[in-house]
Amino acid sequence: MTGAAGSIGSELCRQIARFDPLVLIGFDTAETPLFFLDREMGKNFPNMVFHSEIGNITRADTLQRLMLLYKPSIIYHAAAYKHVPMMEKHIFSAVENNIFGTWQVARAAVKHGVEDL
């Protein structure tokens, strides 16, 4: 789950966890919210393996390392800047993260044979 520490990503983690996946990997740049999500997953889903990974979706090398380490079959991509009025003031950051970051995730998924994105 990219963007796992955000409001959408964390809720998707909760929903996915209810289906008893073998492993769920939470990937985000936000250390503190990811830490709390990690604790929540451990408490509410003690039989599920949850891995917290800190990193940025714009970094191809980080995505490569995670793909090789975990070999995911599905990627849920929730990492994005979502507050439009703020992003209109920070257009370069929005484009870098939302467009180029999504491109990097999609490229890594294709390269590593991820079944679904």
Side-chain angles (χ1 to χ4, degrees):
M1 172 67 61
T2 70
S7 58
I8 294 170
S10 62
E11 182 57 30
L12 285 171
C13 285
R14 293 179 194 100
Q15 297 292 324
I16 292 165
R18 293 180 182 155
F19 290 96
D20 298 318
L22 294 175
V23 176
L24 181 58
I25 299 114
F27 180 57
D28 207 297
T29 60
E31 174 198 4
T32 300
L34 189 58
F35 170 80
F36 287 116
L37 179 64
D38 184 89
R39 294 287 183 124
E40 178 185 340
M41 291 289 110
K43 178 183 173 190
N44 295 338
F45 304 97
N47 297 322
M48 180 187 72
V49 177
F50 184 80
H51 294 289
S52 297
E53 290 287 344
I54 299 285
N56 193 309
I57 61 168
T58 64
R59 298 285 310 265
D61 59 329
T62 301
L63 294 169
Q64 166 84 356
R65 179 182 61 80
L66 294 176
M67 294 292 176
L68 292 171
L69 179 62
Y70 294 113
K71 299 173 181 49
S73 58
I74 299 171
I75 296 175
Y76 293 90
H77 179 53
Y81 292 136
K82 298 169 180 76
H83 300 284
V84 174
M86 181 178 281
M87 290 303 100
E88 288 174 338
K89 295 175 185 174
H90 303 279
I91 192 72
F92 292 110
S93 294
V95 168
E96 178 183 39
N97 190 74
N98 293 5
I99 296 173
F100 297 138
T102 297
W103 173 250
Q104 291 294 348
V105 172
R107 285 184 62 196
V110 169
K111 179 178 179 180
H112 293 278
V114 175
E115 295 171 25
D116 201 359
L117 174 65

